[in-house]
C-alpha cells in the first residue's frame, strides 16, 4: 500500500506543476532571434546601449521584449528596479504605464460595441446624462484687449467615437495654453478622491476646448470612455476589464492599484530627481488604492502582460484559441480615423507626429516614409508619460514592449529603439 504521505506529496507536486504550467501558458513561446528573422548581433547592440545608458545614470533600469511571428526573440531586464533600495530590475517588474492604459480601455469599449450594447455613433449622453448640453469655450478679447471666455453651444453631441479618437472637445488642463485649460486646472478635478462617476460629472461641467468632431486634442476622453464602459456594463471599469480581457489573457499583474504587499516589491521606480512630468504632476503611488480607475492613465502592468495584449491585437483579436475582437473590428480600429487630417484638424500639439493618423485608441502609421523613425505603413503605437512604450507592426509581424520609468528620457528611447530594432530585422 502506498503511504498517504506519498499520495499527498504527489498531489501537491502535481498541483504545483499545473500552476507552473498555467503561468507559463500566460506567456508567449520563445525562439532564437534567427529563427524569426532577427539578428542576435544587432539585438546584443541594443542590450549594450541600454546598459551603457544605465551605467551613465540616464535611466535606472529597463525591460525590453520583442516578439516576432508569435514568438519572443528578445526579453531582457537591465539595471535597477529601484535605485533607492538598490533592487535589481526583474523581468516581472511592475511599471506605471500611464497612457498605455488607453488602448486597453478602448479595446474593452469595442467589446461592448461588438456585443451590441452600444454604437460608436451614439451620443455619450445616452449613457452619461451630464453631457447632454455642452458648451465650447471661445476666447475673445474684452474692451481692454484681455482674453475672456465666451460660451458657445456645441453644434453636435459628443459621440463614443469622439472619445476613442480624441475629437470630443474635452482636453487636458496640464499642457498647452488657453483659458479652457486654465478652467480645467482651476477646477481641481482630482480633489477629494473622486470615483469615475464623480470625475465624469466634473468634466461635464467644464467647457469644451473645440467643437466635437473637429479637432484632435489629447484629453481625458479615454477616462470618460472608461466611465461609459461602467455605465453600459453595470460594472466597475476594472471588474469588466478583468472579466472580459485581463483575466482571460493571463494579465494577472495589470490593474489600477497594487495592494498585494508581495507585488509591491516589484514596482519599478524612477530616479528621485526624475519624478515630474514637466506639467506640475509627479509619479503617483499605486500602492495606495483610490476610488478613481483612470482608463486614460491609471494602470500598471508588466512587459509579459502587455505583450499578451499586443499579440492578441496582432493576431486580429484572438490568442490561444480565444476570440476577443473580430479581425474586421481590429482593422477598423487601426485605420486612420482622422481622414489624413482632412476631416479632423491636427492642431499644434498633435502627439502621434508626422506620418501618423489616429485610429481608435492608437496612433496609426499612414505610410512607410515621412516619420523620422522606421516602421511599415499600418503599424500602430502608443506610449506612457512615465517612459513606457509599445508598438505593433502587422507587416513585420512584430510587437515591442519597452518598460522603464523616466519622464525625462521617454521621447529619446522611442526613436532610438525603433532605429535599432528595425535594423535587427534581416529576413
Amino acid at each position: 500500500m502506498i503511504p498517504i504521505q506519498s499520495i499527498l506529496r504527489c498531489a501537491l507536486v502535481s498541483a504545483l506543476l499545473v500552476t507552473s504550467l498555467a503561468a507559463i501558458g500566460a506567456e508567449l513561446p520563445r525562439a532564437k532571434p534567427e529563427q524569426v528573422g532577427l539578428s542576435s548581433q544587432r539585438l546584443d547592440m541594443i542590450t549594450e546601449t541600454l546598459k551603457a545608458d544605465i551605467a551613465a545614470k540616464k535611466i535606472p533600469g529597463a525591460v525590453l521584449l520583442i516578439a516576432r511571428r508569435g514568438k519572443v526573440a528578445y526579453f531582457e531586464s537591465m539595471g535597477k528596479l529601484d535605485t533607492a533600495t538598490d533592487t535589481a530590475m526583474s523581468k516581472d517588474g511592475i511599471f506605471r504605464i500611464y497612457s498605455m492604459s488607453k488602448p486597453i480601455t478602448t479595446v474593452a469599449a469595442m467589446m461592448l460595441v461588438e456585443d451590441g450594447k452600444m454604437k460608436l455613433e451614439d451620443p455619450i449622453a445616452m449613457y452619461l446624462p451630464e453631457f447632454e448640453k455642452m458648451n465650447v469655450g471661445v476666447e475673445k478679447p474684452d474692451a481692454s484687449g484681455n482674453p475672456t471666455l465666451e460660451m458657445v453651444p456645441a453644434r453636435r453631441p459628443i459621440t463614443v467615437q469622439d472619445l476613442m479618437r480624441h475629437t470630443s472637445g474635452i482636453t487636458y488642463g496640464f499642457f498647452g495654453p488657453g483659458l479652457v485649460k486654465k478652467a480645467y486646472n482651476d477646477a481641481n478635478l482630482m480633489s477629494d478622491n473622486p470615483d469615475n462617476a464623480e470625475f465624469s460629472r466634473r468634466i461635464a461641467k467644464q467647457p469644451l476646448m473645440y467643437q466635437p468632431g473637429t479637432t484632435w486634442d489629447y484629453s481625458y476622453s479615454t477616462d470618460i470612455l472608461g466611465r461609459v464602459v461602467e455605465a453600459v456594463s453595470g460594472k466597475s471599469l476594472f471588474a469588466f476589464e478583468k472579466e472580459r480581457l485581463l483575466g482571460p489573457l493571463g494579465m494577472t499583474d495589470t490593474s489600477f492599484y497594487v495592494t498585494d504587499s508581495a507585488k509591491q516589491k516589484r514596482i519599478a521606480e524612477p530616479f528621485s530627481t526624475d519624478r515630474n512630468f514637466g506639467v506640475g504632476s509627479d509619479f503617483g503611488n499605486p500602492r495606495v488604492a483610490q476610488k478613481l480607475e483612470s482608463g486614460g492613465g491609471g494602470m500598471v502592468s508588466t512587459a509579459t502582460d502587455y505583450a499578451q495584449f499586443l499579440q492578441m491585437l496582432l493576431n486580429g483579436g484572438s490568442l490561444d484559441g480565444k476570440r476577443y475582437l473580430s479581425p474586421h473590428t481590429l482593422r477598423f480600429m487601426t485605420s486612420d480615423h482622422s481622414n489624413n487630417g482632412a476631416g479632423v484638424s491636427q492642431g499644434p500639439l498633435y502627439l502621434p507626429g508626422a506620418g501618423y493618423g489616429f485610429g481608435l485608441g492608437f496612433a496609426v502609421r499612414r505610410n512607410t516614409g515621412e516619420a523620422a523613425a522606421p516602421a511599415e505603413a499600418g503599424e500602430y503605437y502608443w506610449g506612457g508619460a512615465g517612459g513606457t512604450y509599445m508598438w505593433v507592426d502587422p507587416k513585420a509581424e512584430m510587437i515591442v514592449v519597452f518598460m522603464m520609468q523616466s519622464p525625462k528620457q521617454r521621447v529619446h528611447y522611442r526613436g532610438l529603439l525603433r532605429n535599432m530594432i528595425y535594423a535587427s530585422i534581416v529576413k
Side-chain angles (χ1 to χ4, degrees), residues 87 100 104 139 150 155 175 183 186 255 281-282 369 371 390 417:
T87 305
M100 274 169 52
I104 294 175
E139 290 192 25
E150 179 181 316
R155 292 193 291 264
F175 70 95
D186 292 345
S255 60
S281 180
D282 290 341
M390 66 79 172
L417 288 172

Side-chain angles (χ1 to χ4, degrees), residues 50-98:
L50 290 174
K51 284 185 175 180
D53 286 354
I54 290 166
K57 300 190 183 306
K58 292 183 179 179
I59 56 174
V63 179
L64 176 61
L65 185 153
I66 305 168
R68 194 160 188 236
R69 299 169 188 163
K71 296 180 180 180
V72 175
Y74 180 98
F75 186 21
E76 297 291 340
S77 61
M78 293 154 272
K80 300 296 182 181
L81 183 82
D82 187 347
T83 57
T85 59
D86 199 35
T87 305
M89 180 62 73
S90 60
K91 290 181 179 179
D92 64 351
I94 297 174
F95 295 78
R96 302 162 181 84
I97 62 172
Y98 289 105

Side-chain angles (χ1 to χ4, degrees), residues 47-377:
T47 306
E48 293 167 6
T49 298
L50 290 174
K51 284 185 175 180
D53 286 354
I54 290 166
K57 300 190 183 306
K58 292 183 179 179
I59 56 174
V63 179
L64 176 61
L65 185 153
I66 305 168
R68 194 160 188 236
R69 299 169 188 163
K71 296 180 180 180
V72 175
Y74 180 98
F75 186 21
E76 297 291 340
S77 61
M78 293 154 272
K80 300 296 182 181
L81 183 82
D82 187 347
T83 57
T85 59
D86 199 35
T87 305
M89 180 62 73
S90 60
K91 290 181 179 179
D92 64 351
I94 297 174
F95 295 78
R96 302 162 181 84
I97 62 172
Y98 289 105
S99 286
M100 274 169 52
S101 309
K102 289 178 170 73
I104 294 175
T105 303
T106 308
V107 166
M110 286 302 297
M111 295 175 85
L112 289 171
V113 172
E114 286 199 339
D115 290 348
K117 302 296 185 183
M118 65 179 181
K119 304 187 300 296
L120 293 186
E121 63 266 34
D122 287 344
I124 64 172
M126 289 178 58
Y127 312 108
L128 308 178
E130 58 265 33
F131 287 93
E132 183 67 41
K133 294 183 180 180
M134 298 298 295
N135 290 313
V136 179
V138 178
E139 290 192 25
K140 294 188 176 181
D142 61 14
S144 302
N146 298 314
T148 59
L149 207 55
E150 179 181 316
M151 296 303 169
V152 177
R155 292 193 291 264
R156 71 157 176 80
I158 300 169
T159 67
V160 174
Q161 184 180 23
D162 285 325
L163 295 180
M164 292 183 177
R165 66 176 184 172
H166 293 287
T167 58
S168 65
I170 296 168
T171 192
Y172 275 136
F174 47 72
F175 70 95
L179 294 180
V180 171
K181 290 180 178 288
K182 184 177 184 302
Y184 272 65
N185 289 330
D186 292 345
N188 295 316
L189 296 168
M190 298 296 183
S191 65
D192 303 322
N193 189 19
D195 60 12
N196 285 14
E198 173 59 24
F199 185 76
S200 176
R201 288 190 287 268
R202 292 179 183 183
I203 290 292
K205 292 177 181 177
Q206 306 309 312
L208 299 178
M209 185 80 178
Y210 302 99
Q211 287 288 343
T214 66
T215 306
W216 191 95
D217 189 43
Y218 204 41
S219 67
Y220 287 116
S221 288
T222 316
D223 292 282
I224 303 306
L225 181 65
R227 175 57 190 151
V228 171
V229 169
E230 292 185 336
V232 173
S233 69
K235 302 174 182 178
S236 73
L237 179 58
F238 183 58
F240 179 79
E241 290 178 339
K242 186 175 182 180
E243 176 187 328
R244 294 288 301 276
L245 191 62
L246 306 178
L249 281 171
M251 298 172 66
T252 56
D253 290 324
T254 302
S255 60
F256 288 97
Y257 301 101
V258 187
T259 56
D260 184 321
S261 58
K263 287 189 177 184
Q264 288 177 354
K265 297 174 183 178
R266 292 160 47 203
I267 296 175
E269 294 293 347
F271 289 129
S272 60
T273 55
D274 191 12
R275 300 187 66 90
N276 188 279
F277 300 109
V279 290
S281 180
D282 290 341
F283 265 62
N285 183 7
R287 301 167 183 83
V288 180
Q290 304 289 328
K291 294 178 183 177
L292 189 70
E293 294 179 353
S294 169
M299 301 194 91
V300 298
S301 190
T302 63
T304 51
D305 269 18
Y306 213 90
Q308 290 288 110
F309 175 65
L310 295 186
Q311 189 63 48
M312 178 273 290
L313 298 180
L314 180 60
N315 291 352
S318 68
L319 188 67
D320 296 330
K322 181 172 177 59
R323 170 74 49 194
Y324 298 87
L325 286 175
S326 161
H328 294 277
T329 298
L330 257 300
R331 285 195 292 272
F332 175 69
M333 292 178 70
T334 56
S335 297
D336 181 12
H337 286 247
S338 69
N339 193 23
N340 202 29
V344 176
S345 173
Q346 295 178 352
L349 295 173
Y350 185 65
L351 300 183
Y356 284 85
F358 201 84
L360 303 181
F362 313 91
V364 180
R365 184 98 171 199
R366 292 192 184 118
N367 50 65
T368 303
E370 190 176 354
E376 297 288 337

